[in-house]
């Protein structure tokens, strides 16, 4: 089965098949059809409508009042939207009878906000190609063959800059760096104004801010940065009673990368010249320009479902669709991306959201920062279901729900290749919607169109209520904004986040509260309050998170998390009842992320959290704790490889730990109860998308001469997933869940020989293999970045070598590609040394990749030598031989 058919089948399986209407219901069961080329108003299978035509047909049926069961089947193909696909109250169904927009059987409908770019011509002999772009095009993303391509970029070192820059309140003086002065001096004013500086870790290790250059003075040799981005990044207003810091970046901090100039183009990168309406792309090695599908996003919003508090959108279901190819251009504006935490940023004055805690006072309420918009968004929407969909190749957040929405079900979807966070629940401006002072800000910032909700009366009706996020696969997000979380939960009641798989994440898995608690702690617990109550995060699986940023966790919480319940005297808090209305964090499993500070992280001002029955191994220096929380934590019945109650800053009022089990950082079968592992993660009924993507191992417990079973952690396992030892199939595998297997092995078998899905292609040798000899290399383990068997060798001195003698006709060298790498030399049998560049074109870290391959060697024995030639580091993650 080809990949398109497999994906279509998986979408249908994840969405669920249509249930045929009974004869008694035939009068009210209505099926309409839409297709990318549809037209007219018949909306039949033979004469389908466009999506807009089908929407008009649904409205004419008035299902909200008639009670009709209306289903719109979306036929196969790409639906290229010319504008946001908008749903309002008129598109509603009725209770128990939602209007369903669903993939037709066997179809894979893609809702796209992009234009396909064609008419490519080569620019001279440079290897760069150009094509006309639609007039007015503006985008921060380009998708090539279904994947995001990096914009033109390079590091200052790669451009030969010396770095002799002096920071100022307006930008930089670069007179001491002749190479930089010459580079900027060669650009036009318009080209300079397009250049963007990237500052990973600039405002704290959990951030990645970005600002554009406004202008360059060749006479003064000064760069002026855009405002307010520069001030919001380098001169943030201080605030009082802080329990956590929101640091400014030093003006002397130099960018890690320069982006968005045509002269920066490298293979696999693109540049859009908006003035000339021309797109440039330099094909990567092996790509043929005429064979590429190049998608240029035009829209920032694909689908918007919005009502009012008085008249909400309600009872609508979206099933088996793919939402792709949208952008988000906000960070290209003068406000840039002044990152604060979890993709929340400052876009106004430097005291935005600091309320009365700064002088002069900032905007209120406390923590009212600007959040990323989602490419699919719902507000004032009740009983909306999104199931079995793919949210992929998106430039903003994937999906948001806010402003009084109730009973939203987000289940069985896949979120991947998303520039910001996958799912964003709530709004930074509504911690206390019952406070009349917040009403105007809520209407302005928590809705897509303030004028549409001008008649709403804001109160408890605005609270986000009853959201369920279940059985979703969330991975490879935060691709442009690395402080993104898998799921961001702001202010809500009755939210349940359960049975999701979250992995391959640059930062935190799930955050409950961002900034909100930064003026609360044990000594000042009531500086900022909110409506949070009765929320639960349960039975999720996290691994390979915090792969880029630091100071986060699998689950991060701060601020108030409970509705207080008082005893009979009306003043004493009842701890049992209040905890019951607090944040319940139960049954979660987190592993293989050693860069984590605290796996389960109760940070600034966090209070009333029940940490119960969770698992953490190889996932942080402490399994539970934080910095300056308020307290009232119960930590019971957990299986942790590291410490609990770790509070290196101000201590909480109280914590209660009991019944916890200390386990190894590399547990084997039976160390963690099988039923706990089996209960976590995506459930079988919703695993079709993960299984279709193919199984992959992320963790294998180590073996000794006595070991006869191995615990395997990963993704995409099904009861029928084949398991191999080398090329030999394994029988008797115990399938615990889609994420865990127990594999029987002969005593002493290395766990690295286990593969899933297909036999291992060749003999993979880990960097610890005795046959490899080293000179100048050091060993590092448990980085949690995706290294093979979670360890690696690295060298800092040029001339360091790794040598392997092997037999066969092929060999591959595995290592890491990252901006701190350089060139390595590879020599086989004393022949000519080949130079390999291990600095990636996209500026992102890539681990466990084949950086060199050789085939067609003569049969027999050979010797390969890998030598560090340049860069801060060279890495070796082993070899593969026949």
């Amino acid at each position: 089965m080809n990949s398109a058919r497999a994906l279509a089948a998986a979408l249908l399986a994840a969405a669920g098949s249509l249930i045929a209407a009974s004869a008694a219901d035939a009068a009210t069961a209505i099926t309409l059809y839409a297709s990318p080329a549809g037209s007219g108003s018949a909306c039949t299978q033979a004469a389908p409508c466009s999506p807009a035509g089908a929407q008009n047909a649904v409205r004419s049926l008035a299902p909200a009042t008639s009670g009709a069961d209306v289903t719109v089947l979306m036929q196969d193909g790409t639906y290229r939207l010319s504008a946001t696909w908008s749903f309002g109250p008129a598109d509603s169904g009725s209770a128990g009878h939602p209007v369903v927009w669903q993939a037709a059987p066997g179809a894979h409908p893609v809702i796209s906000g992009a234009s396909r770019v064609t008419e490519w011509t080569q620019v001279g002999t440079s290897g760069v190609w150009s094509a006309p772009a639609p007039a007015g095009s503006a985008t921060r993303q380009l998708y090539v063959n279904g994947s995001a391509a990096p914009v033109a970029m390079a590091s200052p070192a790669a451009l030969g800059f010396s770095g002799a820059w002096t920071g100022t309140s307006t930008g930089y003086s670069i007179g001491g760096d002749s190479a930089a002065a010459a580079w900027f001096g060669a650009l036009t004013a318009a080209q300079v104004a397009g250049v963007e500086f990237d500052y990973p870790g600039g405002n704290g290790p959990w951030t990645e801010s970005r600002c554009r250059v406004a202008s360059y003075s060749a006479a003064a040799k000064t760069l002026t940065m855009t405002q307010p981005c520069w001030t919001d990044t380098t001169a943030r207003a201080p605030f009082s009673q802080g329990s956590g810091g929101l640091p400014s970046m030093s003006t002397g901090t130099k960018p890690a990368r320069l982006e968005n100039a045509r002269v920066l183009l490298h293979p696999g990168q693109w540049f859009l010249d908006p003035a000339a309406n021309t797109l440039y792309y330099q094909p990567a090695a092996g790509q043929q320009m005429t064979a590429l599908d190049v998608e240029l996003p035009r829209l920032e919003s694909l689908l918007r479902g919005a009502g009012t508090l008085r008249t909400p959108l309600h009872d609508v279901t979206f099933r088996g669709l793919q939402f792709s190819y949208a952008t988000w251009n906000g960070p290209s504006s003068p406000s840039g991306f002044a990152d604060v935490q979890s993709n929340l940023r400052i876009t106004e004055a430097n005291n935005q959201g600091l309320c009365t805690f700064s002088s002069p006072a900032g905007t209120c309420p406390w923590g009212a920062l600007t959040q990323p918009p989602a490419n699919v968004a719902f507000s004032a929407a009740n009983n909306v279901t999104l199931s079995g969909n793919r949210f992929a190749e998106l430039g903003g957040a994937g999906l948001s729900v806010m402003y009084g929405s109730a009973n939203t079900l987000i289940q069985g979807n896949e979120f991947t290749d998303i520039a910001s966070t996958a799912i964003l629940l709530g709004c930074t401006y509504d911690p206390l919607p019952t406070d009349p002072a917040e009403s105007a800000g809520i209407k302005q910032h928590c809705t897509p169109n303030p004028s549409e909700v001008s008649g709403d009366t804001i109160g408890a009706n605005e609270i986000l209520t009853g959201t369920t996020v279940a059985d979703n696969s969330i991975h490879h997000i935060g691709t442009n904004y690395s402080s993104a979380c898998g799921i961001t939960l702001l202010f809500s009641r009755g939210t349940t986040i359960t049975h999701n798989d979250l992995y391959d994440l640059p930062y935190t898995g799930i955050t409950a509260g961002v900034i909100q608690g930064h003026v609360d702690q044990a000594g000042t617990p009531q500086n900022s309050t909110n409506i949070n109550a009765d929320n639960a995060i349960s039975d999720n699986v996290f691994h390979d998170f915090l792969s880029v940023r630091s100071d986060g966790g699998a689950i991060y919480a701060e601020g108030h998390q409970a509705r207080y319940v008082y005893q009979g005297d009306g003043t004493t808090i009842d701890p049992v009842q209040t905890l019951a209305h607090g944040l319940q964090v139960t049954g979660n499993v987190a592993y293989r992320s050693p860069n984590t500070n605290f796996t389960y992280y109760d940070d600034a001002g966090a209070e009333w959290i029940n940490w119960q029955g969770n698992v953490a191994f190889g996932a942080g220096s402490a399994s539970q704790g934080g910095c300056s929380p308020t307290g009232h934590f119960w930590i019971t019945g957990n299986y942790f490889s590291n410490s609990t109650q770790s509070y290196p800053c101000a201590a909480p009022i109280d914590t209660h730990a009991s019944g916890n089990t200390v386990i190894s950082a590399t547990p084997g079968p039976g160390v963690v109860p099988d039923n706990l592992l089996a209960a976590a993660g995506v459930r079988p009924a919703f695993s079709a998308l993960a299984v279709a993507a193919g199984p992959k191992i992320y963790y294998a417990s180590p073996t000794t001469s006595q070991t006869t079973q191995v615990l395997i952690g990963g993704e995409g396992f099904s009861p029928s997933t084949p398991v191999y030892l080398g090329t030999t199939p394994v029988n008797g595998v115990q399938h615990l869940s889609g994420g865990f297997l127990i594999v029987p092995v002969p005593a002493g078998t290395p766990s690295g020989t286990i593969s899933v899905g297909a036999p291992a292609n060749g003999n993979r040798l880990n960097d610890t293999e005795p046959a490899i000899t080293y000179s100048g290399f050091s060993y590092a383990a448990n980085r949690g970045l995706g290294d093979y068997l979670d360890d690696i060798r690295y060298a800092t001195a040029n001339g360091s070598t790794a040598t392997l003698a092997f037999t066969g006709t092929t060999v591959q060298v595995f290592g890491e590609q990252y901006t701190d790498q350089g060139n390595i030399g590879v020599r086989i049998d004393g022949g000519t040394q080949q130079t390999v560049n291990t600095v990636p074109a996209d500026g992102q870290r890539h681990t466990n990749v084949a950086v060199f391959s050789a085939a067609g060697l003569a049969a027999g024995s050979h010797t390969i030598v890998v030598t560090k030639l340049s860069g801060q580091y060279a890495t070796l993650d082993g070899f593969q031989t026949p």
Side-chain angles (χ1 to χ4, degrees):
M1 181 181 290
N2 64 36
S3 58
R5 285 184 176 179
L7 180 58
L11 285 167
L12 277 176
S17 60
L18 284 172
I19 301 174
S22 66
D25 293 330
T28 58
I30 300 168
T31 301
L32 306 174
Y33 293 84
S35 80
S39 61
S41 58
C43 300
T44 62
Q45 187 170 10
C49 295
S50 66
Q55 200 167 3
N56 288 334
V58 171
R59 290 173 177 173
S60 69
L61 296 169
T65 55
S66 69
D69 289 312
V70 180
T71 298
V72 181
L73 293 182
M74 308 283 287
Q75 295 181 350
D76 196 40
T78 299
Y79 294 73
R80 297 189 183 277
L81 304 178
S82 59
T84 301
W85 192 14
S86 295
F87 287 76
D91 300 297
S92 300
S94 62
H97 302 275
V99 175
V100 179
W101 295 79
Q102 176 171 307
H108 176 210
V110 178
I111 311 304
S112 169
S115 298
R116 185 172 186 180
V117 180
T118 57
E119 302 180 29
W120 291 96
T121 58
Q122 190 166 8
V123 181
T125 59
S126 64
V128 175
W129 293 67
S130 70
S137 292
T139 184
R140 292 179 63 85
Q141 282 77 34
L142 185 77
Y143 299 98
V144 178
N145 283 356
S147 297
V151 73
M153 65 174 67
S155 67
L159 296 172
F161 295 178
S162 71
W165 297 19
T166 301
T168 71
S169 61
T170 58
Y172 297 98
S173 173
I174 62 172
D177 188 340
S178 59
W183 191 86
F184 282 101
L187 302 180
T188 67
Q191 290 169 338
V192 167
V195 175
E196 184 168 294
F197 288 174
D198 181 26
Y199 300 101
N203 293 97
W206 58 90
T207 67
E208 183 178 9
S209 292
R210 294 170 169 272
C211 290
R212 291 206 165 184
V213 179
S215 62
Y216 173 65
S217 169
K221 293 184 172 54
T222 56
L223 290 169
T224 300
M225 303 298 292
T226 57
Q227 295 288 8
C229 187
W230 189 243
T231 295
D232 288 346
T233 301
T234 64
R236 295 177 175 177
F239 60 95
S240 62
Q241 302 187 49
S243 57
L246 304 175
S248 297
M249 184 182 78
S250 167
T251 58
T253 301
K254 289 169 280 295
R257 288 196 299 271
L258 287 73
E259 300 182 0
N260 199 46
R262 181 181 167 187
V263 293
L264 297 174
L265 277 169
H266 289 82
Q269 299 180 353
W270 63 277
F271 172 74
L272 176 65
D273 184 341
N277 296 321
T278 301
L279 178 66
Y280 296 89
Y281 181 71
Q282 185 169 355
Q287 289 183 333
Q288 297 295 320
M289 197 69 239
T290 54
L292 300 180
D293 173 22
V294 180
E295 301 287 340
L296 181 70
R298 294 174 289 99
L299 299 182
E300 295 182 88
S301 173
L302 292 177
L303 186 151
R304 186 185 79 183
T308 69
L309 298 180
R310 294 184 302 173
T311 311
L313 167 68
H314 61 91
D315 298 290
V316 181
T317 294
F318 299 91
R319 219 182 254 149
L321 311 180
Q322 178 170 325
F323 300 95
S324 291
Y325 308 131
T327 189
W328 168 39
N329 290 316
S332 299
S333 71
S335 61
F337 195 83
D339 198 2
V340 177
Q341 184 181 350
S342 302
N343 275 198
L344 303 188
R345 70 198 202 283
I346 304 172
T347 58
E348 301 170 5
N350 68 342
N351 58 358
Q352 178 184 346
L354 299 185
C355 203
T356 58
F357 295 93
S358 65
S359 182
T363 53
C364 294
W366 166 264
L369 299 173
T370 304
Q371 60 199 73
N375 298 129
V376 177
F378 291 89
S379 60
N382 298 341
N383 306 318
V384 172
T385 295
L386 299 113
S387 65
N389 305 290
R390 292 190 78 236
F391 297 77
E393 291 79 53
L394 297 173
L399 171 67
S400 69
V401 184
M402 63 183 72
Y403 191 67
S405 294
N407 305 320
T408 305
L409 176 61
I410 305 164
Q411 187 166 41
N413 306 283
E414 181 182 19
F415 295 81
T416 187
D417 200 8
I418 295 173
S420 183
T421 189
I423 302 173
L424 199 160
L425 305 176
C427 178
T428 60
Y429 280 79
D430 64 354
L432 289 171
T434 53
D435 181 355
E438 292 189 10
S439 178
I442 290 171
K443 291 181 179 181
Q444 182 66 36
H445 298 280
C446 303
T447 66
N449 189 336
S451 64
E452 291 180 354
V453 299
S454 59
D456 280 348
T457 299
I458 304 294
N461 58 340
E462 196 275 333
I463 297 172
L464 180 66
T465 305
T467 305
T468 298
V469 181
D471 300 290
N472 301 285
S473 177
I474 299 172
H475 60 104
H476 194 54
I477 59 91
T479 55
N480 289 93
Y481 312 104
S482 62
S483 67
C485 303
I487 300 173
T488 296
L489 174 62
L490 296 172
F491 307 109
S492 74
R493 289 181 179 169
T495 296
T496 299
I497 302 175
T498 187
H499 289 288
N500 302 284
D501 283 2
L502 300 102
Y503 62 98
D504 187 16
L505 308 176
Y507 185 50
T508 288
I510 298 173
T511 187
V514 183
I515 303 302
Q516 182 62 30
H518 266 57
V519 288
D520 290 337
Q521 54 188 311
T524 54
Q526 302 297 324
N527 278 336
S528 66
T529 58
N530 60 55
I531 51 79
N532 285 337
D534 302 304
N535 297 323
I537 302 173
S538 65
D539 301 304
N540 302 284
V541 171
F542 307 84
H543 63 85
D544 295 87
F545 50 94
L546 281 161
S547 62
V548 179
R549 302 268 60 85
S550 61
D551 198 358
I555 298 173
Y556 174 97
E558 70 168 86
H560 286 228
Q561 297 293 339
R563 174 174 64 84
Y564 296 171
V565 179
Y566 294 91
Q567 296 180 359
D569 61 9
T571 59
T572 304
I573 291 177
D574 183 324
V576 174
Q577 292 301 316
T578 299
L579 182 65
H581 291 286
L583 179 62
Q584 310 300 314
V585 183
T586 62
N588 300 283
V589 178
Y591 68 94
R592 219 181 85 124
S593 296
N595 288 340
T596 306
N597 302 53
F598 310 92
T599 312
Y600 300 107
Y601 197 156
D602 37 49
D603 202 26
E607 62 170 36
W608 298 108
I609 303 176
N610 181 29
W611 304 103
Q612 183 176 33
N614 302 288
V615 177
F617 58 90
S621 55
S623 293
Q624 178 271 326
C627 193
S628 301
T630 295
H632 318 306
F633 307 131
W634 275 256
I635 310 108
T636 60
N638 301 286
Y639 292 79
F640 288 162
S641 64
N642 283 312
S643 61
T644 64
Q645 299 173 291
S646 176
Y647 297 105
C649 307
I653 295 171
D654 65 317
T655 63
H656 311 269
S658 64
N660 300 296
T661 302
V662 178
I663 63 173
S664 165
T666 55
V671 175
V672 177
D674 289 354
N675 64 330
L676 203 161
L677 296 178
V682 174
R683 289 168 287 194
F686 304 96
S687 65
L689 287 171
V691 170
K696 183 176 181 180
I697 294 174
Y698 287 89
Y699 171 80
S701 61
T703 60
T704 69
S705 60
Q706 306 299 314
T707 302
T708 58
Q709 288 185 318
V710 174
L711 176 65
I712 297 293
E715 296 294 331
F717 303 149
S718 73
S720 60
T721 296
V723 179
Y724 298 87
L725 287 177
T727 59
T728 303
V730 179
N731 296 316
V733 174
Q734 185 178 353
H735 176 266
L736 298 180
S737 69
F740 293 101
L741 305 173
I742 296 177
V743 178
V745 298
T749 302
S751 57
T753 62
I754 298 173
S755 62
V756 292
N761 181 19
N763 180 30
R764 179 65 188 268
L765 304 176
N766 192 29
D767 54 87
T768 56
E769 177 67 34
I772 306 171
T773 59
Y774 296 97
S775 174
F777 275 79
S778 300
Y779 176 74
N782 300 318
R783 297 196 308 159
L785 299 177
D787 303 325
Y788 183 65
L789 298 184
D790 209 13
D791 62 6
I792 201 166
R793 302 283 176 148
Y794 68 94
T796 57
N798 291 343
S800 300
T801 61
T803 304
L804 172 70
F806 67 97
T807 300
T809 60
T810 63
V811 66
Q812 288 183 301
V813 179
F814 283 80
E816 177 181 275
Q817 297 173 327
Y818 196 44
T819 54
D820 57 6
Q821 313 275 315
N823 290 338
I824 59 172
V826 181
R827 192 188 307 270
I828 298 177
D829 297 334
T832 303
Q833 186 179 75
Q834 301 180 58
T835 300
V836 178
N837 180 12
T838 58
V839 178
D842 62 4
Q844 302 298 308
R845 187 189 300 271
H846 304 277
T847 57
N848 190 20
V849 293
V851 296
F852 172 85
S853 300
L857 303 175
S861 299
H862 302 279
T863 299
I864 183 170
V865 180
V866 179
T867 304
K868 181 182 184 297
L869 300 180
S870 65
Q872 184 178 356
Y873 297 101
T875 59
L876 184 81
D877 207 4
F879 296 87
Q880 184 154 307
T881 61

